[in-house]
Amino acid sequence: MKYSQKGMLAQTLITCALLIAVPTTFALANDADPLPATGALTIQGDIASQLVAGADRFLLKEIASSVEKRSQFWERDFSSFDAYNKSIELNRQRFAKIIGVRDSRPAFDGPELFGTTTRPALIAKGHGFDVFTIRWPAFGDVHGEGLLLVPHCEKPIANVVALPDCDQTPEQLIGLSPGIATESQYARYLAENGCRVVIPVLINRREKLGRLTNREWIYRAAYELGRGLIGYEVQKVLACIDWFEKEPGDRGKIGVVGFGEGALLGLYAGALDPRIDAICVSGYFDRRNDLWQEPLDRNVFGLLEQFGDAELASMIAPRTLIIEAAATAEVTIAGGRGAPARILTPELESVRGELERARQLTVGLKLNNWPHLVISGDDGRGPFGTPQAISALLARLAPGTTPVSASGVIETIGAIDQDARHARQLHELERHNQTLLQQSQYVRQKFFWDKLNYESLVTYDKSIEPFRKYFYEEVIGRFELPLLPPNVRTRQIEESDRWTRYEVVMDVFPDVIAYGLLTLPKDIKAGEKRPVVVCQHGLEHRPQDTIGEKNIEFYQAFTTKLAEEGFITFAPQNVYLFEDRFRTLQRKANPIKKTLFSIIVPQHAQIVGWLQTLKQVDPARIAFYGLSYGGKTAMRVPPLVDGYCLSICSGDFNEWVDKNASTLNPHSYLFGEEYEMFEFDLGSTFNYAEMAALIAPRPFMVERGHFDGVASDETVGWEYAKVRHLYAARLHIPERTEIEWFAGPHRINGRGTFRFLKEHLK
């Protein structure tokens, strides 16, 4: 499918990098000769740094504009409350999908009292209630665990799920363990007033693998498999609602209350499930334009495209929603192996602004004082879970109830090993991710392979086109923006007796440029049109690294060698440079349903479009050849830029989903520092064989060194076998695909691939 012609630390890092960046251009002079029909390139300094900075500005503007764009996804019907709920059902389904609420929940009669022969399930007694340790089935083989508070009254006045912050325990929320002030122990307060309360355990943010938190650890694999830790924990809440809802007789109303991470989960659960009568959100509600600065486990692909906190609140209307502006559980994650992040207390002005947006979105329902705002302290920075907020929740769950004063008195009978309980919860989620990974190839078979038509190349191409569209819009992320006029600027920077080299810059989107090195052989005759090979560098490198053997050895100067073989070459600068600077681009892109490749694909579309206009170029013979992260690009860009007639993936092709989600694969990114690698739901859609199928029937080749540490030979061979089967057995074009194995490391080999290029381009 052709591309249509139609303040946190990271910001400081960007500024500092721009100031200290070392220019890497080879310009001979400001007035170096430009190519004919192009403008003069006069940019000085590090163009690669300016490219990344421009992409950053572009994404921040797109985040800011997402708020106004959301209305196109909503068709609210205000004629009645029932009509309103029906009118937002598709939004609920979309929301459930992107947060990963996908796995079915089993039916169960009630939670299991979870004790042992040495420790009974009854572990404490409070003022008018008993405390039990429980667990309940949530989804798959995953259980929720936590505490059940059962009031002594004949019948509970309401049923409530009380969610602590992820770094708090259920025991702290009732005073069994120190750490939460008495006046903020809202779960205990609710039980003292006659509510039956479940307090689930949440996965905490302690370090699991040295500067990688438990929450990010679960998130990484889940995200690749179309799930998320948020979705998993929401499922545990909804399983409790399933139990409450099926209770016989007058079961009372259902409420959810949470603080910090628990407030996020409460807001999300309330937005999804109309069975929840009242929701109280403490220390969380805010505008989400800075979601990219929050912990990575909160990353949701496409969240801000349709949903801010105001939109989620509108999915709760006309049910009760109480927003408590309070000091949140502030967090700073320095990064390292995991993503740097922070959580700050929302500014009261920002809370009010988002709340007013929610009111405007639901103005047609004519609700009074909705959502209800409680301000803790003078500026919304007081304690969480105040009696004012919880009393407001009680008043809506059990009208007419006169709240009793919190006693804070609790008698301990037994104690549970909280660390062991958390380890069980973590293990179950790890196991669920690995089960999904094992099943993923069969999910992809049904999603993709079973729907293709192999009768001819024409029928195949027709059947594959909808998947190219899906790949672009739902996996890569497509900006519905026209490419700018390229406004190509060039300057000659080098020449030898065999070629001339130019720096090239062109416009793509506002603030987004494409940049690279064009090498033209000197023996091109008048009227002759040569093939082009676009030579793509890898992670943290530059076009200049691909042109000379003294620069980066594993590129083997392939950009220059191919030019000396008679090809025109172009070496683009990709955005994956400057570590956290580019990784935060992925953080900014994901919430608006975009990725790094949402910028890279249009850059290449612009590059190819311009190359096709050059008098020396045969527009039908432009090939792509990339190493490492450039090989990753070789799998994602050519399917979407049909100006590429061939693609070579070097040093990257492997069983990609396994590499991103496996806890057993020693090459897995789960253990690495590249926190931007994870792409939403590839497990259910496109592994590398499927991406190669998007390139087919165009020629496709893999270059693989036996000692390349990116993956094992076995996983490369496993995934490539599917590609070979497609080309040879299904499409009957075995000559259009090849893999070259060579006894070498992670580098360009330049033998079989050069031959492959000559066979298919000359």
Side-chain angles (χ1 to χ4, degrees):
M1 180 177 67
K2 183 179 288 185
Y3 188 87
S4 173
Q5 288 293 322
K6 311 187 173 192
M8 175 192 167
L9 175 62
Q11 292 299 319
T12 304
L13 289 173
I14 290 171
T15 303
C16 292
L18 285 170
L19 291 173
I20 65 174
V22 178
T24 58
T25 61
F26 290 84
L28 301 175
N30 289 346
D31 58 352
D33 293 339
L35 270 172
T38 68
L41 177 58
T42 59
I43 299 174
Q44 297 300 307
D46 189 348
I47 299 178
S49 182
Q50 295 172 57
L51 184 153
V52 173
D56 186 87
R57 292 192 302 273
F58 171 76
L59 288 171
L60 288 174
K61 291 175 184 176
E62 287 295 309
I63 291 171
S65 67
S66 69
V67 178
E68 296 302 320
K69 294 177 182 177
R70 289 173 201 156
S71 60
Q72 65 184 297
F73 299 101
W74 297 80
E75 295 183 4
R76 296 180 175 88
D77 183 347
F78 297 112
S79 60
S80 69
F81 289 166
D82 184 58
Y84 179 78
N85 262 317
K86 290 179 181 177
S87 72
I88 63 173
E89 180 56 32
L90 290 179
N91 302 92
R92 282 203 175 100
Q93 292 175 18
R94 174 66 183 171
F95 183 60
K97 179 177 181 179
I98 65 176
I99 68 171
V101 176
R102 301 191 185 185
D103 304 303
S104 60
R105 298 190 300 275
F108 65 102
D109 293 330
E112 169 189 351
L113 296 180
F114 195 51
T116 69
T117 56
T118 58
R119 181 193 58 76
L122 177 64
I123 63 167
K125 288 182 175 290
H127 182 73
F129 66 93
D130 295 330
V131 183
F132 298 89
T133 54
I134 60 169
R135 73 172 185 175
W136 61 96
F139 55 92
D141 293 328
V142 175
H143 297 81
E145 280 196 58
L147 300 181
L148 173 64
L149 315 184
V150 180
H152 293 164
C153 53
E154 180 180 349
K155 182 177 64 176
I157 64 170
N159 293 280
V160 181
V161 179
L163 294 153
D165 180 65
C166 62
D167 287 325
Q168 297 171 341
T169 67
E171 287 74 17
Q172 289 177 311
L173 210 49
I174 60 173
L176 270 179
S177 296
I180 296 179
T182 300
E183 60 270 21
S184 293
Q185 294 169 12
Y186 48 84
R188 177 184 52 75
Y189 182 72
L190 288 164
E192 288 174 339
N193 280 278
C195 295
R196 178 168 53 179
V197 181
V198 174
I199 316 173
V201 173
L202 304 184
I203 300 302
N204 62 38
R205 286 203 175 92
R206 294 176 192 164
E207 288 187 1
K208 179 177 178 63
L209 290 172
R211 297 182 295 173
L212 176 66
T213 68
N214 285 315
R215 292 188 71 81
E216 186 174 336
W217 167 256
I218 296 298
Y219 155 87
R220 287 185 172 195
Y223 192 77
E224 192 77 11
L225 299 163
R227 308 305 197 276
L229 180 55
I230 286 174
Y232 288 160
E233 294 186 327
V234 166
Q235 285 278 58
K236 294 181 181 183
V237 175
L238 299 184
C240 291
I241 308 304
D242 294 342
W243 169 48
F244 292 157
E245 199 266 340
K246 71 181 292 187
E247 284 282 278
D250 184 11
R251 52 174 170 75
K253 292 185 177 181
I254 296 173
V256 174
V257 55
F259 165 66
E261 206 67 30
L264 178 156
L265 298 173
L267 179 65
Y268 283 24
L272 277 182
D273 198 331
R275 298 175 300 174
I276 303 173
D277 298 296
I279 299 95
C280 180
V281 173
S282 179
Y284 174 76
F285 197 79
D286 197 6
R287 61 193 290 277
R288 290 291 149 210
N289 287 23
D290 293 332
L291 176 60
W292 62 273
Q293 300 190 49
E294 298 178 33
L296 188 58
D297 53 89
R298 290 185 174 184
N299 184 44
V300 175
F301 188 66
L303 179 69
L304 298 184
E305 181 189 46
Q306 295 189 26
F307 311 99
D309 284 4
E311 283 78 15
L312 296 178
S314 78
M315 294 165 71
I316 293 172
R319 293 169 288 140
T320 295
L321 175 60
I322 300 163
I323 305 298
E324 182 180 48
T328 197
E330 297 197 344
V331 171
T332 298
I333 300 173
R337 180 168 291 180
R342 71 181 188 188
I343 297 175
L344 299 176
T345 296
E347 296 292 336
L348 182 57
E349 180 181 355
S350 182
V351 176
R352 290 186 188 275
E354 194 70 5
L355 187 144
E356 181 57 30
R357 274 211 321 117
R359 288 175 176 161
Q360 291 303 314
L361 293 173
T362 57
V363 67
L365 293 176
K366 297 179 172 61
L367 303 174
N368 183 36
N369 191 29
W370 185 97
H372 180 63
L373 177 63
V374 175
I375 301 174
S376 178
D378 295 333
D379 56 357
R381 294 177 174 271
F384 64 88
T386 59
Q388 295 93 328
I390 306 307
S391 295
L393 178 65
L394 273 173
R396 287 153 178 80
L397 291 174
T401 300
T402 302
V404 301
S405 300
S407 71
V409 177
I410 196 158
E411 174 191 353
T412 301
I413 297 173
I416 188 170
D417 187 332
Q418 297 176 24
D419 290 338
R421 179 182 61 191
H422 185 273
R424 286 194 300 271
Q425 291 282 281
L426 193 68
H427 173 71
E428 285 190 350
L429 293 176
E430 288 174 342
R431 184 175 61 192
H432 185 72
N433 281 342
Q434 297 311 295
T435 299
L436 292 175
L437 175 60
Q438 292 173 348
Q439 297 169 348
S440 66
Q441 63 175 309
Y442 306 107
V443 175
R444 294 192 299 275
Q445 180 73 34
K446 292 180 180 179
F447 168 79
F448 184 78
W449 297 105
D450 290 351
K451 297 175 183 175
L452 299 181
N453 187 323
Y454 305 103
E455 292 179 5
S456 69
L457 295 184
V458 172
T459 60
Y460 175 80
D461 212 39
K462 184 176 180 180
S463 68
I464 203 74
E465 189 60 28
F467 289 102
R468 292 188 181 120
K469 184 175 186 291
Y470 186 97
F471 182 61
Y472 202 167
E473 295 179 356
E474 300 298 327
V475 176
I476 296 298
R478 178 175 182 161
F479 284 110
E480 296 294 340
L481 294 171
L483 294 174
L484 294 174
N487 183 27
V488 181
R489 291 90 76 195
T490 66
R491 62 187 168 208
Q492 181 181 330
I493 58 169
E494 279 188 299
E495 69 176 326
S496 73
D497 58 346
R498 303 178 66 179
W499 46 259
T500 306
R501 181 165 290 136
Y502 296 85
E503 275 191 311
V504 181
V505 171
M506 63 190 77
D507 298 333
V508 180
F509 292 145
D511 289 314
V512 177
I513 60 171
Y515 163 58
L517 304 181
L518 175 71
T519 306
L520 293 173
K522 287 187 172 180
D523 63 351
I524 301 176
K525 298 179 177 63
E528 181 184 6
K529 292 186 177 292
R530 292 277 181 94
V532 180
V533 182
V534 173
C535 302
Q536 189 63 69
H537 64 82
L539 180 66
E540 295 295 342
H541 292 150
R542 302 164 180 264
Q544 290 81 3
D545 298 324
T546 72
I547 62 177
E549 299 204 30
K550 291 184 179 179
N551 294 333
I552 302 294
E553 184 273 336
F554 49 71
Y555 290 113
Q556 298 291 297
F558 77 128
T559 294
T560 300
K561 288 181 179 177
L562 282 167
E564 292 173 349
E565 293 280 343
F567 295 98
I568 297 170
T569 62
F570 189 89
Q573 176 69 63
N574 266 2
V575 296
Y576 38 75
L577 184 65
F578 306 118
E579 298 180 329
D580 280 336
R581 280 185 63 194
F582 92 81
R583 293 195 165 100
T584 56
L585 297 182
Q586 185 85 315
R587 296 291 322 271
K588 292 164 185 170
N590 278 181
I592 53 174
K593 198 183 171 188
K594 304 297 186 291
T595 64
L596 290 175
F597 285 93
S598 302
I599 292 175
I600 294 171
V601 169
Q603 286 174 321
H604 279 262
Q606 194 76 302
I607 289 166
V608 169
W610 173 68
L611 288 171
Q612 289 175 327
T613 69
L614 297 182
K615 64 180 182 179
Q616 306 95 326
V617 169
D618 182 345
R621 293 187 293 163
I622 300 178
F624 189 99
Y625 186 177
L627 171 69
S628 194
Y629 223 119
K632 180 179 178 179
T633 308
M635 302 308 302
R636 290 160 179 78
V637 169
L640 305 178
V641 179
D642 60 10
Y644 282 125
C645 69
L646 174 155
S647 184
I648 299 175
C649 177
S650 178
D652 190 72
F653 189 92
N654 68 100
E655 216 284 30
W656 185 257
V657 173
D658 186 80
K659 181 175 174 64
N660 280 269
S662 173
T663 57
L664 298 177
N665 185 343
H667 306 286
S668 175
Y669 281 123
L670 286 189
F671 309 104
E673 298 179 358
E674 297 97 333
Y675 56 81
E676 87 291 349
M677 281 293 182
F678 307 94
E679 297 161 284
F680 186 63
D681 205 20
L682 283 190
S684 304
T685 55
F686 301 95
N687 205 338
Y688 271 12
E690 287 79 18
M691 292 185 201
L694 299 179
I695 296 169
R698 291 168 285 174
F700 173 74
M701 184 174 180
V702 172
E703 186 175 47
R704 163 69 190 177
H706 287 304
F707 303 105
D708 190 332
V710 165
S712 66
D713 278 355
E714 292 82 358
T715 59
V716 175
W718 164 272
E719 194 68 11
Y720 180 74
K722 303 172 190 176
V723 180
R724 177 69 186 179
H725 179 80
L726 170 66
Y727 276 79
R730 291 290 198 173
L731 301 180
H732 310 293
I733 48 172
E735 72 283 357
R736 295 193 194 180
T737 190
E738 187 176 333
I739 185 169
E740 182 190 33
W741 307 86
F742 66 93
H746 184 71
R747 66 170 172 81
I748 294 288
N749 193 46
R751 290 172 174 78
T753 53
F754 280 32
R755 174 184 50 77
F756 190 77
L757 288 166
K758 291 174 183 177
E759 287 178 359
H760 292 282
L761 295 182
K762 289 191 174 181

